[in-house]
Amino acid sequence: MSTLTKYHVYGPNDPLRRMAPKLFEAYQPKYLYEYEASENKDHIYVALYEQYEKQINATVTLVCVIECTNKKNRIELKKAGGRMGFRGSSLTEERSVEADVVDFILDFSKRFGLSIQEESMDSKESSEES
C-alpha cells in the first residue's frame, strides 16, 4: 500500500519559512534531514514518521519532503507500509500520522492566509501519455 500526495503552498515569505519548523515541532519525526542552499537560502527538509498500528500488526511510514523557496513551499507526502485486505481495511480508532500532518498543513495555511493547492496526479499522467 503506497500513496503519494503533493501540495503547493503560496504566500508571503515569512509564514512559508516558518511552516516546516513548526510542523516538526508539533509532530516530532523519527528522522529529520535539513539542507540549506547557500546561494538563495532555499531549504529542503526530509522527515520520516513511523507509526505502529497494533490492530493490523503493521508499521506505516510517512516520508515528508518540504522544499521551501521564497515564493512557495512544495510538499510531498509518501505513505507506505501497512496491510491491505480484510484485516487491514478495518477502521482504526487512532488518527494516522498522515492525517495529523495534512491537518497541520491545512490549518497553518488557513491561519496565516496562505493559498494551498493539491497537485492532481491524473493530469500529469495524461500529459505524459500525449
Side-chain angles (χ1 to χ4, degrees), residues 1-48:
M1 179 176 85
S2 174
T3 60
L4 179 64
T5 310
K6 295 182 181 183
Y7 295 101
H8 295 277
V9 183
Y10 301 93
N13 189 19
D14 290 339
L16 288 175
R17 297 285 180 176
R18 283 195 311 259
M19 179 185 270
K22 290 292 184 183
L23 170 65
F24 302 138
E25 183 180 308
Y27 300 102
Q28 186 73 30
K30 185 164 185 172
Y31 299 102
L32 177 64
Y33 173 75
E34 179 182 352
Y35 171 76
E36 181 179 357
S38 58
E39 62 273 354
N40 54 5
K41 302 295 183 205
D42 291 348
H43 280 77
I44 298 175
Y45 300 93
V46 180
L48 175 70

Side-chain angles (χ1 to χ4, degrees), residues 5-10 65 67 72-77 98 101-103 105-106 109 115-119:
T5 310
K6 295 182 181 183
Y7 295 101
H8 295 277
V9 183
Y10 301 93
V65 179
E67 296 177 20
K72 71 175 182 175
N73 284 356
R74 184 171 170 267
I75 303 168
E76 288 188 17
L77 301 173
E98 181 184 28
V101 170
V102 169
D103 285 348
I105 292 168
L106 295 175
S109 299
S115 300
I116 188 164
Q117 178 182 9
E118 184 172 358
E119 187 175 320

